[in-house]
Structures are given as structure tokens and as C-alpha cells.
Amino acid sequence: MNHWSNCMEPFRKKNMLFGNWTTLILPVNKNDSIDYELLKDEIDFMIECHVDGIYSNGTAGEFYTQDREEFYTIQSILSEKCNRNNIPFQIGASHMSPQESLFRIAVARDMKPVAIQVILPDWFPVNIETAVKFLKNAAEESGGIPLVVYNPPHAKVTLEAEDWLAIISEVPSIIGIKVADGDSSWYKNMKEVMEKISVFIPGHHLATGIRQGALGAYSNMACLHPKGNQMWSDLIRSDLTAGLELEKRIRSFMEIYISPYLTRGYPNHACDKCMAVAGGWLPGLQTRLRFPYSYIPQDEAIEIGKIARREIPEFFNS
């Protein structure tokens, strides 16, 4: 059964999340402060694009750099704008410190997002027992708001299907996970997990993932253009074959023009912000990251934008 084609709301039955969610990208001033006015413009544009939903404090939100006041301010801006415009939103409460993560969950809880995202404690690798202990506390702190666990490839511990089954059996508040996918054998191994919770995969794999049972993405492709990305998401819902055809060119663009930056040592969020500048949808945005990470030069991002318009013009013609 193709769940995607039957879902036109941000939730499925049994409270399973679905959709192609758009990430907040942190605008950074020259003095390393946050440009809150540009952040407001960013959210306004995403709302105008009628995206499936918006989430804060993923990697592109540079959550690991924020102090408590900054965290509160960002979430307040997001929640106020989304609530006023009836746009579903999630708040990332992730932090390397479990204590700080629990504090952020308590703040997020009061803003009534549809879900709260967390990572596992990240200084020393956790075993399943420790992961369950943390996630049970997170669920208690969330006050009934469901959890989505973000487990990227660079995490200290990357969980496999059997790990997820053990964890979600102990922590029913978990309704989704954000992970890197794999080949067909990976999807086969994850089949039982996908029957129990929502599995979100990398944005540029969206059509392939949907075909094999995933329910959406917290999408890197939304960085390139939120409206174009929503167009692709809608296309997959209405015509999966056409969505898969477009994915071939998207993957080629990513492999040829974006992935080499990772090979050269730039972090993932440098690529996210580079793509946003390339997309040109947020005037004033710079590729700059907060200290101490290196970022891709602005002029290179602009050149990539020219290439993107040639290789995947649908993202800009929607």
C-alpha cells in the first residue's frame, strides 16, 4: 500500500507523522549573532509556500551553538508564526548534554508543537539501556507531545532495526525517526519498524523512500527552495513515477555539485546553507556558519545556483 498517496494532512491515523518537512536555517551575522529579522522573513516565506510543515533546530539550525535565551527566542518566533497561520511545526530540542536537552524539551512542550525532536546523549556512546532511560525521561518531560528521534550517520551510535524495535517498545511516545536510509535490504530490514512508527529519510531520496515505505523527509532539498521542494513532494503524491524521474536528476546534482564539499571537509550544514544561498529565495542570507565551523564561500554558492537552475529547473519554475 502506498501510504503517501492517501495522506493529504500532516498526520496519518494512529498519530503517525508524514510529510516533507522544511528546516529552519540559522541566519548568522558577521559578529556571530543570530539575525532574528531575517529568521522571521525565512519563516514567512516558508508559510507562503504552503509547506507540509516547518521544524527548528536540525543540523541546519545549528542547535549545538545556541544558549538558552537564543533557543527560546527562535522557538517563540517559530511557534507564534506557525500557530497564527495554522502551519504544523516541530521543535528540535536536541543537545549533546542530556540535561540541556531535557530543559529544551520543557520549553518546547509549552509551545505546543506537533512533535519534539531529540538526539541521544552524544559525548560517550550510549547502549540501548541508556538510550531507553534517556528517552523515557524525555517522554515524561514532553508532557504527552510525541517524540521524533534524530539519529544521523555521524552520531556516536547509529541504531539498527532491532535497536529501534527495542526502544519503541519501551517508549511509546516515539512516533518517528530521522535516519539515513540504505539500499533495498535496508528497507527490508526496517519493514517492521516502518509498520510501527514513521521513518523519515534524506530529502534527496524522497521518492525512492516513499516507494519503499518511508513516510517523508526532514528535507535538505527544502534548503535549495522550499516551494520547489514542496512541488516535488506534491508530485510524488500524485504521480510517483514522475517523482522518481525527477529524483534521478536531483541525486545527480547532489552527487556532482554538493557532495564534493563534504569530501573536502565541510560539515553537512555548510552544504545546507550553501544550497539555500544558491536557491536565492531568502535575500540577505549568507553562507556563514557560527564559530568554529568553516563555510562554503558565497560566490561558490551563487554559481551552484546557476547550475541548479539548469539541472533541476522545476525547483525554480514552480
Side-chain angles (χ1 to χ4, degrees):
M1 176 181 176
N2 182 357
H3 297 302
W4 188 264
S5 63
N6 294 299
C7 301
M8 298 305 290
E9 298 296 333
F11 290 99
R12 293 181 62 242
K13 292 180 180 179
K14 300 182 182 178
N15 204 31
M16 290 178 74
L17 280 172
F18 113 101
N20 199 16
W21 293 70
T22 299
T23 181
L24 276 193
I25 301 162
L26 193 72
V28 179
N29 294 313
K30 287 183 178 180
N31 65 359
D32 216 38
S33 63
I34 298 170
D35 187 339
Y36 291 113
E37 293 306 310
L38 194 55
L39 184 73
K40 293 174 185 177
D41 292 343
E42 179 183 348
I43 297 169
D44 287 341
F45 183 81
M46 292 174 178
I47 291 171
E48 290 173 8
C49 292
H50 302 290
V51 297
D52 285 339
I54 303 171
Y55 72 100
S56 68
N57 279 29
T59 304
E62 302 183 63
F63 65 85
Y64 56 89
T65 70
Q66 296 166 23
D67 63 28
R68 289 185 171 188
E69 181 179 355
E70 291 169 334
F71 175 81
Y72 179 81
T73 302
I74 292 167
Q75 315 323 313
S76 296
I77 293 170
L78 176 66
S79 60
E80 189 276 329
K81 285 183 174 290
C82 288
N83 283 326
R84 189 191 329 142
N85 291 279
N86 198 30
I87 293 289
F89 70 100
Q90 299 178 42
I91 290 178
S94 300
H95 198 283
M96 295 70 65
S97 160
Q99 287 77 16
E100 280 299 306
S101 189
L102 292 176
F103 169 81
R104 290 184 174 191
I105 291 169
V107 172
R109 172 191 68 206
D110 295 337
M111 296 180 182
K112 307 299 182 185
V114 298
I116 296 174
Q117 296 182 18
V118 296
I119 59 171
L120 298 177
D122 201 51
W123 171 244
F124 193 83
V126 298
N127 57 26
I128 299 303
E129 179 184 3
T130 303
V132 167
K133 183 190 301 182
F134 166 72
L135 291 167
K136 281 185 174 180
N137 279 26
E140 183 176 351
E141 199 67 59
S142 72
I145 294 174
L147 301 178
V148 172
V149 182
Y150 179 20
N151 188 229
H154 59 267
K156 292 291 196 307
V157 174
T158 52
L159 302 174
E160 303 293 340
E162 59 269 23
D163 302 321
W164 289 117
L165 291 172
I167 287 171
I168 62 181
S169 69
E170 295 284 339
V171 192
S173 291
I174 297 172
I175 64 167
I177 58 176
K178 176 185 178 183
V179 294
D181 62 352
D183 57 17
S184 58
S185 64
W186 182 89
Y187 280 96
K188 182 178 179 180
N189 290 337
M190 289 290 288
K191 183 176 185 297
E192 188 175 353
V193 178
M194 291 190 288
E195 290 172 350
K196 295 178 181 294
I197 61 173
S198 301
V199 174
F200 291 83
I201 44 86
H204 56 299
H205 296 177
L206 182 64
T208 297
I210 294 304
R211 182 179 61 181
Q212 298 188 83
L215 285 185
Y218 295 108
S219 184
N220 56 346
M221 296 310 298
C223 297
L224 184 63
H225 204 295
K227 190 171 184 179
N229 187 58
Q230 189 62 46
M231 173 280 303
W232 183 37
S233 176
D234 294 341
L235 177 64
I236 293 168
R237 300 180 200 191
S238 63
D239 187 346
L240 180 58
T241 300
L244 287 164
E245 285 299 315
L246 179 52
E247 183 182 300
K248 291 178 183 178
R249 284 186 284 120
I250 289 171
R251 286 198 186 213
S252 176
F253 167 77
M254 294 293 288
E255 181 179 350
I256 296 172
Y257 300 106
I258 302 300
S259 294
Y261 284 109
L262 300 175
T263 304
R264 288 164 55 185
Y266 287 101
N268 285 1
H269 50 304
C271 295
D272 291 337
K273 196 169 283 187
C274 171
M275 288 171 64
V277 171
W281 53 270
L282 185 60
L285 181 67
Q286 301 292 307
T287 56
R288 187 183 303 113
L289 302 178
R290 293 190 105 177
F291 175 84
Y293 289 98
S294 299
Y295 52 90
I296 297 165
Q298 190 84 2
D299 58 348
E300 292 186 30
I302 293 170
E303 287 302 311
I304 288 173
K306 296 176 184 177
I307 295 168
R309 285 164 176 80
R310 182 186 72 221
E311 300 294 324
I312 42 176
E314 295 92 335
F315 264 63
F316 306 94
N317 296 335
S318 57

